[in-house]
Amino acid sequence: MTLAKRTATFAGLAAMTLLAACGGGSDDDAPPPTPGGQSSPYVFDTTPADSATFLRVDRTGAPAVGTALLSRATTVTITTASGAILNPGIATNTFNDQRDQLNRGDPVNDARDFAAIYVAGPQGNALQNIHFKLGRELRALGLTPCSTEPAGGATTKAEVNVDVCVAQAAPVIIPDVITFDFAAPQGFPNGRTFDDPVADRLLAAALLRLTPVGAGPAPHHIDSLLGVIDTWNGPAGTPCPAPCRFTGDESNVFSPSTFPFLRQAYP
């Protein structure tokens, strides 16, 4: 909910509270009738926020991680050591696939419950399997993957080493929260601005070698894949000026830096 909506909602609630206080001291908890004898149109759900009726259905941390590395198939549902379904659904939300299980879990448990699944789970889009399938194509494009394979190439995904990829990506996606260091430049993965190319940076961290190799410099940087998914109107393969404020929509206009931070409507 935006700040404007929250402000309007708060103002509406405050006004109703003041009106209710002028109702003559009645002990009746029923909403006062509106003009014409009709009941009040305002009906509020008083169920406590921590009730089992409610279930988290999404995260607001690093976006696209669940989509990129977890499956919607119920044939690869994650189970606990005892064989029980991890983070099971309820009657009103019965989906028990990996992505829903992540969304229903608490970030404090992400390393324990999902780190190994991200890397080498049974789903086809686990990190190790992605590199097994795409490593040759990445090298053919002149890119240096963060994974390594035997000299003759990998014949199974188990032969693909993704330790460097994990070291690069894990601090950003585990736990699945947004962090902010006031001493560092703003911009994802340090916080998130409206125009940050988040998906492209996550791709780079998960696929490309961003750290030095031997005595040489790092072959790629976090912005090497700008434009693959997120719109990038700068020169291909070049990083954004730090902090990176790229033009992220069809209007070619940067997000305003003042409230309400909205561009003009795009025709």
Side-chain angles (χ1 to χ4, degrees):
M1 182 181 291
T2 64
L3 178 60
K5 289 183 179 179
R6 288 197 296 266
T7 303
T9 301
F10 179 78
L13 291 174
M16 286 186 286
T17 301
L18 290 174
L19 289 174
C22 299
S26 171
D27 291 331
D28 187 2
D29 290 333
T34 58
Q38 297 178 350
S39 299
S40 170
Y42 301 104
V43 178
F44 297 97
D45 190 338
T46 58
T47 307
D50 59 354
S51 168
T53 302
F54 299 123
L55 201 64
R56 186 187 299 113
V57 297
D58 204 351
R59 296 281 194 95
T60 57
V65 172
T67 302
L69 298 177
L70 297 178
S71 174
R72 294 287 293 181
T74 56
T75 55
V76 290
T77 295
I78 304 170
T79 57
T80 65
S82 64
I85 294 176
L86 177 69
N87 303 334
I90 59 175
T92 55
N93 187 320
T94 58
F95 302 107
N96 283 320
D97 57 67
Q98 290 179 338
R99 295 178 193 172
D100 284 304
Q101 290 182 288
L102 171 71
N103 288 332
R104 290 195 289 257
D106 291 323
V108 69
N109 297 323
D110 281 354
R112 180 195 70 190
D113 294 340
F114 295 98
I117 299 297
Y118 284 147
V119 176
Q123 70 277 18
N125 56 327
L127 184 62
Q128 193 176 44
N129 202 37
I130 289 175
H131 278 270
F132 174 59
K133 293 179 177 180
L134 297 182
R136 182 176 301 175
E137 284 76 6
L138 290 172
R139 294 182 181 90
L141 292 171
L143 301 172
T144 303
C146 50
S147 60
T148 57
E149 301 179 3
T155 57
T156 67
K157 66 178 183 180
E159 295 178 332
V160 179
N161 187 310
V162 293
D163 289 350
V164 172
C165 311
V166 172
Q168 294 176 166
V172 179
I173 66 175
I174 300 175
D176 183 15
V177 296
I178 292 180
T179 59
F180 188 72
D181 180 359
F182 287 90
Q186 64 178 345
F188 186 83
N190 185 40
R192 182 180 180 184
T193 65
F194 284 107
D195 291 326
D196 282 344
V198 174
D200 289 341
R201 287 178 174 169
L202 285 172
L203 276 178
L207 296 180
L208 304 183
R209 184 70 181 250
L210 308 183
T211 55
V213 179
H220 302 291
H221 48 70
I222 194 68
D223 288 333
S224 288
L225 295 182
L226 290 183
V228 173
I229 293 179
D230 295 305
T231 304
W232 165 234
N233 297 313
T238 59
C240 298
C244 183
R245 298 285 188 139
F246 82 128
T247 51
D249 75 348
E250 298 86 349
S251 68
N252 294 327
V253 177
F254 290 98
S255 292
S257 58
T258 57
F259 183 83
F261 310 106
L262 298 175
R263 300 181 180 97
Q264 294 296 318
Y266 184 67

